[in-house]
């Protein structure tokens, strides 16, 4: 297991949002700017304009990326792989949500929404309500930045401002959530930052709130080998120093590599869901976005599964 994380590890000092959310948004912004992007997130770059993202800045600056590639081709390949991963992940879960609302599910809950902009950029059927759950400072930051640019939600958006360590189901009910209606849940980019017992508790709480016919999409927790984590941590520190960047806490330091973690598909299939999984590495290859993976190429566990399930 990685070292115990603290709140300070996760928060950007200027804005208060998660560094992990900023890194994911940087990858989406970078992908959006590609000649033939897999996804388009027109708000991602706007949301990280004031974020300190260290070496991840290379994804947004072609000249900086060229310097990185010259200095450390392996780390450049790793960042490029993560950009493609975020694009593939975003497309997969965009399609999941689009399919759910096409099948007349009108209640969507995005758990730990971070800088997710789906409520602003997707096409939503009339009568749909989207609930975003995250800490108050995260949701307030996102809303204020987008509102300052005249960007409004494209759907009835309900912000559920609560830390997931607290009674978030009560906060969700208070925002108007109806557990008797089928719901489409999205848990993206979260489980890897939770220990095993917290993962089980979260999935159990979602199950308790899910009517028959509800759907759930989950990104499982990738698990980097100890050697890979240490190698990438040192590479990031070295190249950030060489490029004159202030590197925030390394991403791998924020992850829980918990040996007791349940396999999500197995857990769901024994708790009232019918679940299937696709490996993200396979999705990268299917969509012709596999670049070899850089230093993590041989670490199969470093590529999460994308799980979808229906409540029985």
């Amino acid at each position: 297991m990685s070292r115990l994380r603290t709140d300070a590890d996760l928060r950007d000092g200027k804005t208060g949002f998660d560094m992990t959310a900023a890194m994911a948004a940087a990858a989406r912004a970078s992908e959006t700017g590609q000649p033939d992007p897999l996804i388009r997130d027109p708000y991602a770059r706007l949301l990280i304009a004031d974020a300190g993202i260290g070496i991840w800045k290379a994804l947004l600056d072609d000249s900086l990326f060229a310097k990185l590639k010259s200095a450390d081709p392996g780390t450049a390949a790793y960042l490029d792989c993560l950009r493609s991963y975020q694009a593939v992940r975003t497309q997969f879960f965009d399609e999941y949500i689009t399919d759910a609302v096409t099948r007349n599910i009108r209640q969507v809950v995005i758990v730990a929404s971070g800088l997710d902009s789906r409520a602003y950029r997707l096409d939503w059927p009339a009568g749909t309500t989207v609930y975003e759950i995250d800490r108050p400072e995260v949701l307030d930051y996102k809303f204020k930045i987008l509102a300052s640019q005249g960007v409004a939600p494209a759907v009835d958006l309900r912000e559920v401002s609560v830390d997931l360590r607290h009674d978030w189901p009560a906060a969700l009910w208070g925002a108007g959530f109806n557990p008797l209606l089928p719901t489409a849940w999205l848990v993206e980019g979260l489980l890897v930052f939770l220990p095993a017992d917290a993962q089980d508790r979260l999935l159990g709480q979602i199950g308790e709130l899910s009517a028959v016919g509800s759907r759930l999409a989950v990104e499982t927790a990738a698990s980097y080998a100890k050697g890979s984590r240490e190698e990438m941590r040192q590479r990031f520190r070295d190249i950030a120093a060489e490029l004159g960047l202030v590197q925030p806490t390394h991403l791998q330091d924020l992850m829980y590599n918990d040996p007791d973690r349940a396999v999500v598909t197995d857990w769901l299939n024994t708790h009232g869901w019918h679940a299937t999984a696709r490996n993200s590495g396979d999705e990268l290859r299917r969509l012709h976005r596999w670049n070899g993976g850089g230093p993590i190429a041989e670490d199969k566990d470093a590529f999460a599964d994308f799980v979808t399930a229906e409540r029985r």
Side-chain angles (χ1 to χ4, degrees):
M1 183 182 296
S2 63
R3 69 176 176 82
L4 183 64
R5 301 181 294 108
T6 69
D7 286 348
D9 288 332
L10 287 168
R11 299 186 182 186
D12 173 272
K14 187 177 296 185
T15 63
F17 58 72
D18 287 356
M19 291 188 301
T20 56
M23 293 169 186
R28 293 196 303 272
S30 177
E31 177 65 24
T32 300
Q34 297 302 302
D36 186 22
L38 190 62
I39 57 101
R40 289 179 172 86
D41 184 343
Y43 309 117
R45 186 179 290 265
L46 178 65
L47 288 168
I48 58 169
D50 293 328
I53 54 176
I55 195 173
W56 293 73
K57 186 178 179 181
L59 289 176
L60 304 173
D61 184 327
D62 289 342
S63 63
L64 190 59
F65 189 82
K67 291 179 182 178
L68 168 62
K69 190 173 182 179
S70 176
D72 187 346
T75 298
Y78 175 66
L79 282 185
D80 188 56
C81 179
L82 289 179
R83 170 172 54 199
S84 292
Y85 175 84
Q86 289 292 337
V88 168
R89 182 180 86 169
T90 299
Q91 186 200 54
F92 183 91
F93 292 124
D94 281 359
E95 290 181 348
Y96 153 77
I97 289 177
T98 298
D99 181 68
V101 297
T102 298
R103 295 173 184 273
N104 294 317
I105 291 179
R106 293 293 179 265
Q107 193 165 244
V108 177
V109 180
I110 303 176
V111 181
S113 57
L115 300 183
D116 183 291
S117 67
R118 289 184 173 96
Y120 296 82
R121 64 178 178 80
L122 294 185
D123 293 327
W124 297 97
T128 304
T129 302
V130 175
Y131 299 88
E132 290 190 349
I133 305 175
D134 215 316
R135 297 193 314 275
E137 61 267 31
V138 177
L139 297 179
D140 288 349
Y141 169 82
K142 179 166 61 176
F143 177 81
K144 289 177 181 177
I145 290 294
L146 295 178
S148 72
Q149 300 298 313
V151 180
V155 69
D156 178 9
L157 174 61
R158 311 283 180 88
E159 295 181 345
V160 184
S161 300
V162 62
D163 192 305
L164 286 171
R165 292 171 295 186
H166 301 151
D167 191 359
W168 65 266
L172 185 60
W173 292 330
F177 175 81
N178 185 348
L180 300 180
L181 297 177
T183 302
W185 299 86
L186 176 58
V187 183
E188 177 187 31
L190 174 61
L191 295 190
V192 72
F193 304 112
L194 301 180
D197 59 342
Q199 172 180 300
D200 290 354
R201 184 164 58 253
L202 176 67
L203 294 176
Q205 289 170 313
I206 289 173
E208 291 171 0
L209 296 170
S210 296
V212 171
S214 292
R215 297 193 170 202
L216 171 62
V218 179
E219 177 190 21
T220 66
S223 177
Y224 290 75
K226 183 178 179 181
S228 296
R229 296 199 310 273
E230 293 176 350
E231 178 187 356
M232 290 312 305
R233 184 185 299 113
Q234 190 59 51
R235 280 185 177 221
F236 269 47
R237 288 173 179 166
D238 291 346
I239 196 63
E242 183 169 343
L243 297 178
L245 299 171
V246 177
Q247 179 62 26
T249 301
H250 185 55
L251 183 62
Q252 308 311 321
D253 288 337
L254 306 179
M255 297 179 176
Y256 281 100
N257 288 318
D258 195 330
D260 297 323
R261 187 186 300 278
V263 175
V264 172
T265 48
D266 293 346
W267 193 98
L268 291 173
N269 282 327
T270 57
H271 287 80
W273 299 86
H274 174 66
T276 58
R278 294 189 199 175
N279 181 262
S280 59
D282 292 341
E283 283 293 285
L284 283 161
R285 293 179 176 88
R286 184 180 71 82
L287 294 170
H288 308 292
R289 300 306 296 268
W290 177 256
N291 74 344
I296 61 172
E298 303 304 321
D299 190 357
K300 181 175 174 57
D301 290 338
F303 293 90
D305 285 340
F306 301 150
V307 175
T308 54
E310 184 171 0
R311 190 67 167 165
R312 298 179 296 193

